């Protein structure tokens, strides 16, 4: 059994009898399929690599900032424990309250920054995905493709129907870098 026969059988199962009728109708557009390893493009493209590096840089910068604040809070907590042993209760309660407030502020800041980084990453990758879509439309029009399937759902295919390398090369040319924008954070 050839790959074409297996692919035709798979498509009949997937799309029903429409393919069989289309083959009998001479006026129907011929089925021309391409395969794209979308995950590979998102892993290996220059823009995606740069986005991950930039987000990692922001994340490291943020971790350093939080580490310094946590060190200050640990020192403050030790001071509070020492003063608590001396039984300066009213002062201790006030300082304990301030300490807990600062801890809460750090937790809120951590959550906010994490959310900002996640949104920036999503926005940058959405830009990359939109450019991939434009490239796919261009290739589809040029090659008269009927469908482009993600490689992750294809079991067997002829090597010549895969367009991953072409898409990756074009993406690297037209979108070598994506600006990562994180509100309130400048690097």
């Amino acid at each position: 059994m050839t790959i074409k026969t297996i692919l035709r059988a798979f498509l009949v199962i997937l799309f029903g009898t429409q393919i069989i009728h289309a083959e009998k109708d001479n006026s129907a557009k011929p089925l021309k399929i391409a395969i794209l390893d979308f995950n590979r493009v998102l892993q290996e493209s220059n823009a995606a690599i740069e986005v991950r590096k930039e987000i990692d840089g922001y994340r490291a910068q943020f971790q350093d900032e939080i580490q310094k604040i946590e060190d200050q809070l640990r020192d403050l907590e030790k001071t509070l424990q020492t003063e608590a042993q001396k039984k300066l209760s009213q002062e201790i309660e006030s300082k304990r309250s301030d300490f807990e407030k600062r801890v809460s502020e750090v937790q809120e800041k951590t959550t906010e920054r994490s959310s900002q980084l996640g949104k920036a990453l999503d926005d940058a990758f959405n830009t990359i995905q939109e450019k991939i879509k434009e490239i796919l439309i261009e290739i589809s029009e040029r090659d008269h493709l009927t469908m482009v399937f993600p490689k992750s759902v294809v079991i067997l295919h002829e090597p010549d129907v895969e367009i991953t390398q072409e898409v990756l090369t074009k993406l690297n040319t037209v979108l070598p870098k994506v600006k990562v924008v994180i509100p309130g954070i400048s690097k």
Side-chain angles (χ1 to χ4, degrees), residues 50-173:
E50 287 301 314
V51 164
R52 283 189 290 276
K53 281 182 189 176
E54 198 165 341
I55 292 290
D56 287 347
Y58 281 120
R59 190 172 283 124
Q61 176 184 351
F62 177 60
Q63 283 298 107
D64 289 345
E65 184 181 325
I66 293 298
Q67 185 64 48
K68 289 176 186 172
I69 293 170
E70 286 176 347
D71 291 344
Q72 291 171 351
L73 288 173
R74 270 192 286 284
D75 291 343
L76 181 58
E77 186 175 36
K78 286 179 186 175
T79 302
L80 288 173
Q81 288 173 350
T82 302
E83 290 178 5
Q85 291 173 352
K86 295 178 184 176
K87 298 185 182 188
L88 305 170
S89 61
Q90 286 182 345
E91 273 185 54
I92 295 299
E93 279 306 310
S94 174
K95 288 181 180 181
R96 172 71 59 195
S97 177
D98 289 343
F99 171 77
E100 289 172 359
K101 182 179 175 186
R102 286 186 65 192
V103 168
S104 178
E105 288 170 356
V106 169
Q107 289 171 340
E108 287 174 17
K109 186 176 184 176
T110 301
T111 301
E112 179 184 348
R113 286 285 172 89
S114 181
S115 176
Q116 288 173 328
L117 289 174
K119 183 175 179 348
L121 184 65
D122 289 346
D123 290 347
F125 271 90
N126 285 338
T127 300
I128 294 169
Q129 290 172 356
E130 283 300 314
K131 191 54 77 175
I132 291 170
K133 183 179 175 183
E134 291 173 20
I135 292 168
L136 286 174
I137 290 169
E138 178 186 316
I139 292 171
S140 292
E141 289 172 354
R142 182 196 70 205
D143 294 347
H144 308 289
L145 297 175
T146 311
M147 290 183 246
V148 177
F149 286 106
K151 190 172 186 175
S152 62
V153 299
V154 176
I155 298 170
L156 294 170
H157 69 85
E158 294 282 339
D160 61 333
V161 299
E162 187 165 339
I163 59 172
T164 304
Q165 189 57 49
E166 180 181 2
V167 171
L168 185 57
T169 301
K170 282 186 185 233
L171 181 62
N172 285 340
T173 301

Side-chain angles (χ1 to χ4, degrees), residues 8 11-13 15-25 28 31:
R8 182 171 283 137
L11 291 173
V12 167
I13 292 168
F15 297 108
T17 59
Q18 294 171 339
I19 292 175
I20 295 170
H21 294 302
E23 286 179 357
K24 290 179 182 178
D25 182 5
L31 186 63

